[in-house]
Amino acid sequence: MAREAIALMLDVAPDSFELEVSPQLPPKVSHALVARRAAREADLAAERATAEAVRELLADGYTVRDAGRMLGISPQRVSQIAQATAAA
């Protein structure tokens, strides 16, 4: 609709010019988007680090219960991570 309105006002063909719409987000929205992206990246990094720690702890002979206590996760979660990394 904007293209047609501009073309009508300038008396040119609607396909004779480029139109780029760049909305200006409020600063709070931009900040929230940046924070959410950083949180997703941190979450992925934490998952990778946890999986690596689980592999190393179990390879070093720690039990799933000990590994869970050290990592602050349940022994069941340690087992899930160990199974997922073994399957990959």
Side-chain angles (χ1 to χ4, degrees):
M1 289 187 341
R3 179 180 295 281
E4 291 174 9
I6 293 169
L8 184 63
M9 290 174 60
L10 298 177
D11 194 28
V12 295
D15 61 351
S16 66
F17 57 91
E18 291 295 318
L19 180 65
E20 182 177 322
V21 178
S22 300
Q24 294 294 325
L25 298 174
K28 293 283 185 186
V29 173
S30 296
H31 177 71
L33 291 173
V34 169
R36 290 171 56 81
R37 185 177 311 115
R40 280 192 306 275
E41 291 171 2
D43 191 43
L44 288 172
E47 286 180 24
R48 285 189 292 261
T50 300
E52 184 177 328
V54 164
R55 280 192 304 275
E56 288 184 19
L57 289 170
L58 296 181
D60 288 345
Y62 289 96
T63 65
V64 293
R65 183 170 301 283
D66 291 338
R69 282 192 185 127
M70 284 188 264
L71 292 168
I73 58 177
S74 71
Q76 294 83 358
R77 183 66 185 132
V78 173
S79 294
Q80 289 173 340
I81 293 169
Q83 290 173 359
T85 57

